[in-house]
């Protein structure tokens, strides 16, 4: 591919994360013309730096397919491993924590910068989300401005910067900032203490955005827009939706970590949770990670300093053929009912039921009434165990509720148009309908193989059936009476309102 033949030195942040690591593997496997990849890594000393490359990168099973293309380890090392130049640094530090020597090194020949580093936690306090996802990005852009040969900077954001636009067709553009002037908001937030930021998050941010992650990513995009001309960077913004397991490359089902759908699948596999707050009829916009990585690499072609603003690319499936919740719920449940139980399974109650939001708390209290009684009991040890159990289950089953009860339709015209002109090795086939039954099966198989680290039967075929998963809520006299008794015994405390507070 001509672009990467001419621009063959890449600087990558976030290379040990799910997306960054998969992107790195794709570059090494499909773009042999790339001569060097600078990889920003947190470490103390050169030995630990190389150790992270050997263990977290090339020690991953993600690279097994690539390794088979070479005759032996020496050849793999000479032709692949040597391309990786680990750079000690940290996006939470000025100049990304790089030494003067390392900064001068990347300035000599870097032509493409892909900024993938981020905290994707939905539970970060606002100060952490801003430090890593906004200030860390701005630091990266400052470094990018010192790279004289830079031809493209790809900033990986998220489609859910526009989460308030639920139910709408969301275009590939930067919409007005809901909180006011982004520069003024950033200046105000930068002057706040952690405690003040907590209050701002609670009273302002979380009334518009579902979490601090999407807010910080949104603020970053708006700062990019206001500073675009002054920064003079050939920047593009890639907005993935929920990133899921690979559809085919380097192997169907490849995944790692606990974000996106992985947490739900794992909790079901182990029998940890059975009932989830959500709506089974909503479209779930999942983009396979290998399709995303191809789109990221193609988006770099559109970096242009002369444009009035950064091109934006949605990479998702809701605009064409995203799966609905009922399909993924049935596949996940039936896969784990069909395979031998994982070694870490804690319960054989393997099912997925969906409970509408308006009944979820009542249903939760009803199902776990005995644990709730114990939590308010006089046995302090038993109460502590019960609270810990309930907190864990409640967190797991409600963490993604915002996305499970809503749907968006992300227009991907820019990404699709770029995909149409992509060479074969980088064509994501964004306009091709995905076989979601096959994908869902391979996704669960991938969690089984790569996260639980168990042997799987890739020849396994399951005749999946699709039935409604919504669980009707029927209050019971016993639970209502128990709640009333607790209220009387504890100075009229309302147990129904206390449970979420404790959780």
């Amino acid at each position: 591919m001509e672009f990467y033949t001419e621009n063959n030195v890449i600087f990558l942040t976030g290379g040990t994360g799910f997306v960054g690591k998969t992107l790195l593997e794709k570059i090494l496997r499909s773009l042999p013309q790339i001569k060097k990849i600078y990889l920003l890594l947190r470490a103390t000393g050169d030995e630990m730096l190389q150790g992270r490359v050997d263990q977290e990168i090339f020690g991953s099973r993600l690279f097994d397919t690539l390794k088979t293309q070479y005759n032996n380890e020496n050849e793999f090392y000479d032709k692949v491993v040597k391309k990786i130049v680990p750079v000690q640094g940290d996006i939470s530090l000025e100049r990304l924590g790089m030494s003067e020597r390392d900064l001068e090194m990347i300035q000599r020949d870097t032509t493409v910068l892909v900024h993938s580093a981020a905290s994707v936690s939905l539970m970060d306090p606002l100060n952490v989300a801003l430090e890593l996802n906004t200030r860390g990005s701005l630091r990266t852009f400052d470094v990018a401005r010192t790279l004289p040969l830079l031809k493209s900077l790809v900033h990986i954001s998220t489609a859910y910067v526009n989460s308030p636009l639920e139910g709408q067709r969301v275009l590939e553009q930067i919409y007005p900032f809901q909180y006011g002037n982004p520069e003024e908001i950033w200046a105000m937030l930068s002057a706040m203490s952690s405690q003040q930021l907590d209050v701002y998050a609670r009273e302002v941010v979380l009334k518009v955005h579902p979490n601090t992650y999407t807010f910080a990513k949104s603020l970053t995009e708006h700062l990019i827009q206001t500073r675009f001309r002054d920064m003079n960077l050939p920047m593009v913004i890639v907005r993935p939706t929920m990133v899921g397991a690979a559809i085919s490359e380097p192997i169907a089902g490849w995944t790692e970590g606990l974000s996106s759908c992985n947490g739900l699948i794992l909790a079901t596999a182990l029998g940890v949770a059975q009932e989830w707050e959500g709506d089974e009829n909503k479209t779930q916009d999942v983009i396979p990670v290998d399709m995303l990585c191809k789109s990221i690499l193609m988006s770099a072609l559109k970096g242009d300093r002369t444009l009035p603003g950064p091109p934006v690319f949605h990479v998702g499936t809701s605009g064409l053929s995203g799966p609905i919740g009922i399909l993924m719920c049935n596949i996940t449940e039936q896969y784990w009912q069909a395979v031998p139980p994982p070694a870490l399974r804690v319960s054989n109650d393997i099912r997925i039921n969906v409970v509408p939001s308006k009944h979820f708390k009542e249903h939760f209290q009803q199902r776990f009434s005995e644990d709730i009684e114990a939590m308010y009991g006089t046995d302090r040890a038993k109460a502590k165990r019960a609270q810990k159990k309930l907190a864990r289950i409640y967190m797991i089953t409600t963490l993604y509720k915002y996305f499970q009860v809503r749907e968006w339709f992300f227009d991907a015209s820019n990404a699709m148009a770029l995909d149409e002109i992509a060479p074969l090795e980088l064509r994501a086939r964004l306009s091709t309908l995905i076989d979601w039954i096959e994908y869902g099966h391979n996704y669960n198989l991938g969690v089984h193989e790569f996260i639980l680290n168990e042997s799987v039967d890739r020849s396994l075929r399951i005749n999946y059936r699709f039935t409604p998963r919504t669980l009707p809520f029927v209050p019971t006299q016993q639970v209502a009476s128990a709640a009333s008794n607790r209220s009387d015994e504890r100075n009229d405390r309302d147990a129904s309102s206390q449970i979420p507070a404790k959780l």
Side-chain angles (χ1 to χ4, degrees):
M1 185 178 182
E2 185 176 349
F3 177 82
Y4 286 107
T5 299
E6 296 175 355
N7 304 288
N8 52 24
V9 179
I10 297 175
F11 182 85
L12 174 64
T13 72
T16 59
F18 177 44
V19 173
K21 190 186 299 184
T22 309
L23 179 65
L24 181 63
E25 191 276 343
K26 177 60 178 175
I27 294 170
L28 293 171
R29 179 167 46 83
S30 299
L31 297 176
Q33 63 268 50
I34 296 297
K35 294 181 179 179
K36 189 187 302 180
I37 302 172
Y38 294 117
L39 196 60
L40 189 74
L41 295 171
R42 291 193 305 271
T44 54
D46 292 342
E47 187 174 338
M48 181 178 289
L49 196 63
Q50 189 58 49
R52 289 200 69 188
V53 173
D54 295 339
Q55 295 169 22
E56 297 181 42
I57 304 294
F58 294 116
S60 169
R61 295 174 64 188
L62 169 66
F63 289 85
D64 287 353
T65 299
L66 178 59
K67 290 176 181 177
T68 63
Q69 297 178 6
Y70 298 90
N71 295 319
N72 51 56
E73 289 186 9
N74 290 335
E75 185 182 6
F76 178 73
Y77 179 83
D78 289 337
K79 294 187 177 180
V80 176
V81 179
K82 278 187 174 180
K83 290 184 177 182
I84 305 300
V85 180
V87 178
Q88 184 173 329
D90 189 329
I91 63 169
S92 67
L93 300 174
E94 294 305 316
R95 206 169 62 181
L96 302 183
M98 289 186 290
S99 67
E100 189 67 39
R101 183 191 66 179
D102 285 344
L103 181 60
E104 291 175 356
M105 176 178 66
I106 70 167
Q107 288 171 338
R108 281 196 291 269
D109 53 7
T110 298
T111 52
V112 177
L113 193 159
V114 180
H115 178 46
S116 178
S119 170
V120 297
S121 171
L122 305 186
M123 301 178 69
D124 278 341
L126 184 55
N127 67 315
V128 174
L130 290 174
E131 179 62 38
L132 298 177
N133 297 330
T134 302
R135 192 171 285 108
S137 295
L138 297 178
R139 291 187 184 108
T140 303
F141 305 154
D142 286 342
V143 169
R145 295 178 69 182
T146 73
L147 305 177
L149 302 180
L150 189 69
K151 294 297 187 293
S152 187
L153 190 165
V154 182
H155 172 67
I156 301 178
S157 184
T158 172
Y160 298 101
V161 294
N162 291 311
S163 52
L165 302 180
E166 61 171 293
Q168 303 180 37
R169 191 167 199 84
V170 184
L171 302 178
E172 293 164 298
Q173 65 184 50
I174 298 177
Y175 287 83
F177 197 48
Q178 297 98 327
Y179 304 87
N181 182 296
E183 292 290 351
E184 293 177 0
I185 296 298
W186 177 234
M188 178 187 71
L189 294 175
S190 297
M192 286 184 177
S193 66
S194 296
Q195 292 76 17
Q196 290 172 320
L197 288 171
D198 288 341
V199 174
Y200 186 82
R202 184 171 61 252
E203 296 184 355
V204 181
V205 170
L206 298 181
K207 291 183 178 179
V208 180
H209 276 83
N211 49 61
T212 60
Y213 168 70
T214 57
F215 168 76
K217 285 288 193 178
S218 175
L219 176 58
T220 303
E221 283 197 12
H222 285 87
L223 292 175
I224 290 172
Q225 184 180 46
T226 61
R227 301 179 182 188
F228 190 75
R229 287 196 179 278
D230 290 338
M231 289 193 298
N232 191 31
L233 288 170
M235 190 185 307
V236 302
I237 296 174
V238 174
R239 292 179 183 160
T241 54
M242 290 185 286
V243 185
I247 192 169
S248 61
E249 295 183 32
I251 183 171
W254 154 254
T255 187
E256 69 174 12
L258 295 177
S259 60
S260 190
C261 301
N262 293 10
L264 183 149
I265 292 174
L266 194 62
T268 302
L270 302 181
V272 172
Q274 294 79 26
E275 293 153 12
W276 304 76
E277 183 174 354
D279 183 341
E280 66 180 348
N281 295 311
K282 297 296 186 183
T283 298
Q284 302 298 308
D285 196 322
V286 179
I287 182 69
V289 67
D290 48 340
M291 294 174 64
L292 169 61
C293 289
K294 293 174 183 179
S295 296
I296 290 172
L297 291 170
M298 281 300 298
S299 72
L301 277 64
K302 294 300 180 179
D304 187 344
R305 301 172 195 268
T306 67
L307 296 174
V312 177
F313 300 93
H314 280 151
V315 188
T317 55
S318 61
L320 184 66
S321 67
I324 57 174
I326 186 172
L327 184 147
M328 299 304 286
C329 288
N330 275 281
I331 292 174
T332 298
E333 176 183 283
Q334 291 168 45
Y335 174 88
W336 295 103
Q337 289 175 344
V339 299
L344 296 177
R345 182 170 287 177
V346 298
S347 164
N348 288 322
D349 186 3
I350 306 301
R351 57 187 170 86
I352 294 183
N353 287 118
V354 177
V355 180
S357 294
K358 63 180 179 179
H359 294 310
F360 187 80
K361 287 182 181 178
E362 296 172 88
H363 177 82
F364 187 90
Q365 293 158 10
Q366 178 172 298
R367 183 181 177 199
F368 295 102
S369 59
E370 291 184 6
D371 295 288
I372 292 170
E373 288 286 352
M375 190 169 72
Y376 286 97
T378 57
D379 186 331
R380 296 183 65 181
K382 189 175 182 180
K384 188 174 182 179
R385 289 195 301 272
Q387 182 175 348
K388 184 177 180 180
K389 171 186 174 181
L390 290 172
R392 180 185 61 165
I393 296 174
Y394 192 83
M395 183 275 291
I396 290 172
T397 54
T398 61
L399 181 60
Y400 293 100
K401 67 178 181 180
Y402 184 92
F403 305 97
Q404 292 170 338
V405 301
R406 295 170 174 82
E407 61 186 357
W408 296 261
F409 300 94
F410 296 107
D411 181 87
S413 299
N414 292 347
M416 284 183 170
L418 195 55
D419 193 48
E420 288 300 317
I421 64 170
L424 185 61
E425 65 270 19
L426 295 184
R427 187 167 301 159
R429 294 182 171 82
L430 295 176
S431 60
T432 302
L433 295 177
I434 291 175
D435 183 339
W436 289 109
I437 297 177
E438 180 181 3
Y439 178 75
H441 174 84
N442 286 331
Y443 198 148
N444 281 272
L445 187 145
V447 170
H448 199 172
E449 181 175 6
F450 301 114
I451 296 181
L452 290 175
N453 292 313
E454 295 194 347
S455 298
V456 298
D457 179 5
R458 285 193 167 264
S459 67
L460 175 67
R461 295 293 178 265
I462 298 173
N463 183 24
Y464 289 106
R465 307 173 308 281
F466 298 97
T467 59
R469 309 312 305 157
T470 298
L471 198 65
F473 174 67
V474 181
T476 66
Q477 184 73 28
Q478 181 181 2
V479 172
S481 175
S484 177
N485 290 339
R486 283 196 306 275
S487 180
D488 293 340
E489 292 169 3
R490 293 169 179 80
N491 301 319
D492 295 326
R493 285 185 301 178
D494 180 7
S496 175
S497 64
Q498 289 293 318
I499 292 166
K502 276 215 166 193
L503 295 173

